[in-house]
Amino acid sequence: MKHTLILVLSWIVIPHTSCDGIDSLTFPDGFLFGVATSSYQTEGAWNESDKGVSIFDSWVQSCPECIADRSHGNIASDSYHKYEEDAMLIKQLGFNYYRFSISWSRILPNGLTNNVNKEGIRHYKDIIEVLLRNSIEPVVTIYHYDHPQVLEEMGGWTNELMVEWYLDYAKIVFREFGPMVKIFTTINEPQEMCAGYNDNGTAPGKLLPNMVGYYLCLHNVLKAHAKAYHMYDDEFRASQNGLISINNPCSGQVLDDSRDTISADTSFQFYCGMVGHPIYIGDYPPIVKERVALVSKYLGYHKSRLPTFSPKWISYIKGTADFFGLNSYTSEIAHPDPDEARGIYNSDSGIITTHKPTWHNSSIFWLKSVPEGFGNLLRKIKVDYNNPLVFVTENGFPDYGELNDIDRINYFRSYLEELIIAVKRDGCRISRYTIWSLLDNWEFHFGYTTPFGIIKVDFNSPSRERIPKSSAYWWKEVIRTHRLQDVPNINVILANIESVLKSHHR
Ligand SMILES: *[C@@H]1O[C@H](CO)[C@@H](O)[C@H](O)[C@H]1NC(C)=O
Ligand SMILES: *[C@@H]1O[C@H](CO)[C@@H](O)[C@H](O)[C@H]1NC(C)=O
Ligand SMILES: *[C@@H]1O[C@H](CO)[C@@H](O)[C@H](O)[C@H]1NC(C)=O
C-alpha cells in the first residue's frame, strides 16, 4: 500500500525531467543494482577461525592515533557472523548483486600456500551459497587492501615477489570460488592502497620519501593484476566463463571560468589514469612520465622515481579488463600550482585542486556532492578509453549516521540521473551500479566517524543490530520501479522504514 502511495506522490512531484528528449529518470533495460562492502571494514572476527594477521590488524594496533576515533575493525559490522542476515536485507531491498571481498589472511594465514585455511574457504563458500539461494549474484573482490602482515614484513608491495605471492593467492580464489562466481575484481583501488607506502593515512603507513614507495607499489600491483588476468584467461576462463577487472578510483573534473582543460586532464591522468592508461592505452600516461621525470630531476634524483615498464610488460598489461570497474565519489577543479612559475615544484602533478563553495558537503572534507562532475567523468572514460563497458563498482556518500539520510538520497538521485543521461544521450556503456556501502562500517583513518551505509549498524551494541535508513527504502522503490524516485516526504519514509524493519525481523 505504501509503495503505491509513494509512487503516486512522485508522479505528482517530479516533472518528467527531459534532457534532449530522453527520460533521464528511467534506467535502461537490464541495468543492475548492487551493494558493496569489504572484508576488513565489515567482517570483524579478526582473530577467529585461524585467520592470520593482516596489515590492518597490525596498523590499528601500532598506530591507534592514525585513526580519527582510535577505533579498529576487530568486530566492525560483525558480518563474519551476520552474513545471512545481511543477505536477507539485500534480498528484501531487491538488489541484484552483492560485492564483497575475501580476506587474504583468512585464506592464507601464513601469507604463503603452506597452510590453506579450510575454515576460511568454507566461510566464503557459505556466503556465496546463501547469496545464490536468494538469487543475489556474488561479485568478488579478490583483495581489498588487507594483505597478510607477514608479507608486509618481507616488503609488501615494494617487493616485486609480492606479484607471485598475490598470484598464488588469486589462483586459490579462482579454483575454490570461480565455479560459483562470475565477476571478479583483482585489486581494489591501487592508488589508495599504495598511499600506505607514502603516508600514515592507511596501512601499512610507511613514511617512505617522495612518492618512491607509492610508485613502486603501483608498478608491482599493475603487474600482479595483469598476471592474475592472464592466469584467469589461461586456466579458468574456458570452464568458468566469468568477467574480470580491477577497481579503479577516479574523480570527476569540473571546469571553472578559466576553462583549463589541460590541468583537468593532468589531474585525471595522475589518479584515474595511473591504472586506466596502462590497461586501456598502454603504459603510464605520457604527462605523468614527463612530469615525474622533471620533478625527480629537480629533487636531485639521477633518474625518474616512476619505474619503467618494458615494452613486453606494456603489452602484457594492456587489455587486462573485461569491464571498467569504476569507483567514484567526488570531483574537483584543477589549476596549475602558481609556485611552479617561480621554479618551485611542490608535487609531481603540479596541480592544485579546489572545490566550488556551492558543492554540497559530506562528513569527509574532500568528498563533495558534484553530480555534473560524475557525468563528465563517465564521458571522459568513454572518449579516452574507447567506450569500454563500465560497471560502477563503488559510489556513495558519507554523513554523520542519520537514519533519515536525505542528503544521501539526494546524492544518489542526482548522480544516477547523470549516469542515465550519460548512457541514453551520450552512448556510454554502463550496465551496473554499486552502492558503497550496504552497511555502516570502519572507514580507515576516519574510523566510524563517516558512515556510508544505507543500513545503520549500532556499533555500541554487541549484537551490531542493522537498521535500514531512509535511503534503503528509497532504493527499494528505485529498484522495484527501475526508475529514480523523488526524494520522498519524511513521514512516508519513516512509515516505510517501519514496514521494512517489521518484515526484516519477522
Ligand atoms: C580475539 O581478540 C579478542 C580481542 O579483540 C580477544 O578478546 C579474544 O580472546 C581473541 N581470541 C582469540 C581466539 O585469540
Ligand atoms: C603521520 O605522518 C605525519 C608526517 O607525514 C606526522 O606529522 C604525523 O605525526 C603522523 N601521524 C601519526 C598519528 O603518526
Ligand atoms: C560547506 O562547508 C563550508 C565550510 O564549512 C561552507 O563554507 C560551505 O558554505 C558549505 N557548502 C554548502 C553548499 O553548504
Side-chain angles (χ1 to χ4, degrees), residues 214-229:
Y214 170 84
Y215 291 127
L216 185 51
C217 167
L218 213 51
H219 205 67
N220 289 328
V221 164
L222 285 164
K223 290 180 172 180
H225 160 76
K227 283 212 162 192
Y229 183 93

Side-chain angles (χ1 to χ4, degrees), residues 357-361 368:
T358 51
W359 290 350
H360 278 283
N361 296 312
K368 311 286 179 186

Side-chain angles (χ1 to χ4, degrees), residues 259-314:
R259 316 277 321 153
D260 185 354
T261 53
I262 293 175
S263 293
D265 184 64
T266 302
S267 193
F268 174 86
Q269 300 302 348
F270 264 89
Y271 191 49
C272 191
M274 295 303 282
V275 167
H277 203 280
I279 291 178
Y280 285 95
I281 297 172
D283 204 358
Y284 293 118
I287 186 72
V288 172
K289 292 197 288 185
E290 188 185 303
R291 290 269 334 174
V292 180
L294 174 80
V295 180
S296 296
K297 204 170 187 180
Y298 169 82
L299 293 172
Y301 293 89
H302 83 284
K303 63 179 183 182
S304 180
R305 289 159 295 135
L306 183 68
T308 309
F309 284 124
S310 66
K312 219 168 146 184
W313 271 111
I314 291 172

Side-chain angles (χ1 to χ4, degrees), residues 45-50 61 72 74-75:
W46 76 282
N47 58 356
E48 283 179 44
S49 317
D50 293 331
Q61 279 173 28
H72 51 69
N74 288 4
I75 302 172

